[in-house]
Amino acid sequence: MGSEGPALTIHVTGFKKFHGVSENPTETIVNNLREYTKKNGLPKGMILGSCSILDTAGQGAVNPLYQTLQSAVGTKGSGSSNSGGVIWVHFGVNSGATRFAIENQAVNEATFRCPDEMGWKPQKVPIVPADGGISRIRKTTLPVEEITKVLAKMGYEVTTSDDAGRFVCNYVYYHSLRFAEQNRIQSLFVHVPLFLTIEEETQMQFVTSLLDVLTCLS
């Protein structure tokens, strides 16, 4: 169990607003997470690392994304606190969703239904050309089915998903999974609904429960 060995460090990201979503719940969740966990406590054996907000953009935001991802590896091994492993958890909104979705994989395809926040609107473009064509899939090494089952037993409306879309969420997840494989860390993407669908307090509880489950399974 994660609580018995060296501490697990979990870094989280959310997104800013984008076309059609003027207030992104993941920006609120990630910005408030550190304060929320201070009040409510963190799982034993877990350290909350960075809490970063990403631009909702693909190609134009790759450099800041990699700087963010690299920051976790830069601290890895610099102290015993990080020797228990590193997980990136990325949160994105699905405005049409009625439940949380734990994403199993990302596809090497950028097909944006609308321009991103930097005006880029690719169609059937490989995210990482060096990886080959747009059908290439990368999967998380985390046990998505098990994570989902535990969260469902806690009473959350949650499902597994094999389709993170082809917009910025999938774009970031693909890069993150590739980076995780190269650096021997782990990555997970979670889609959340709007606060109109599932209120903010329930979403904050869900996120802290997810951190707990990840720590226990690590």
Side-chain angles (χ1 to χ4, degrees), residues 7-11 69 72-73 75-77 81-89 142 179-180 183-187:
L8 170 74
T9 303
I10 298 180
H11 301 272
L69 293 172
V73 180
T75 58
K76 196 180 168 201
S81 62
N82 284 316
S83 58
V86 173
I87 300 176
W88 274 104
V89 181
L142 289 158
F179 183 89
N183 291 277
R184 289 189 232 165
I185 60 176
Q186 292 176 294
S187 174

Side-chain angles (χ1 to χ4, degrees), residues 120-131:
W120 191 46
K121 192 183 176 186
Q123 300 296 308
K124 297 195 181 300
V125 171
I127 293 168
V128 180
D131 272 7

Side-chain angles (χ1 to χ4, degrees), residues 150-166:
V150 176
L151 289 166
K153 277 184 187 169
M154 291 178 176
Y156 295 108
E157 291 286 324
V158 59
T159 187
T160 57
S161 168
D162 285 330
D163 185 4
R166 299 293 181 272

Side-chain angles (χ1 to χ4, degrees), residues 40-51:
N40 297 279
L42 276 170
K44 190 180 173 191
M46 187 212 129
I47 295 164
L48 181 61
S50 58
C51 298

Side-chain angles (χ1 to χ4, degrees), residues 40-172:
N40 297 279
L42 276 170
K44 190 180 173 191
M46 187 212 129
I47 295 164
L48 181 61
S50 58
C51 298
S52 308
I53 305 299
L54 305 172
D55 283 310
T56 309
Q59 202 171 49
V62 165
N63 285 344
L65 170 64
Y66 270 85
Q67 284 166 9
T68 302
L69 293 172
Q70 192 67 45
S71 67
V73 180
T75 58
K76 196 180 168 201
S78 62
S80 60
S81 62
N82 284 316
S83 58
V86 173
I87 300 176
W88 274 104
V89 181
H90 306 285
F91 293 99
V93 65
N94 177 353
S95 56
T98 57
R99 58 180 64 190
F100 301 102
I102 313 293
E103 299 292 348
N104 189 44
Q105 63 187 35
V107 185
N108 191 30
E109 179 189 342
T111 296
F112 292 5
R113 65 187 182 278
C114 61
D116 68 15
E117 289 302 285
M118 293 186 179
W120 191 46
K121 192 183 176 186
Q123 300 296 308
K124 297 195 181 300
V125 171
I127 293 168
V128 180
D131 272 7
I134 58 173
S135 60
R136 171 74 190 270
I137 289 169
R138 286 185 177 273
K139 291 179 182 281
T140 182
T141 55
L142 289 158
V144 167
E145 295 284 345
E146 196 175 346
I147 292 164
T148 305
K149 275 181 194 164
V150 176
L151 289 166
K153 277 184 187 169
M154 291 178 176
Y156 295 108
E157 291 286 324
V158 59
T159 187
T160 57
S161 168
D162 285 330
D163 185 4
R166 299 293 181 272
F167 193 50
V168 176
C169 291
N170 176 73
Y171 190 93
V172 165

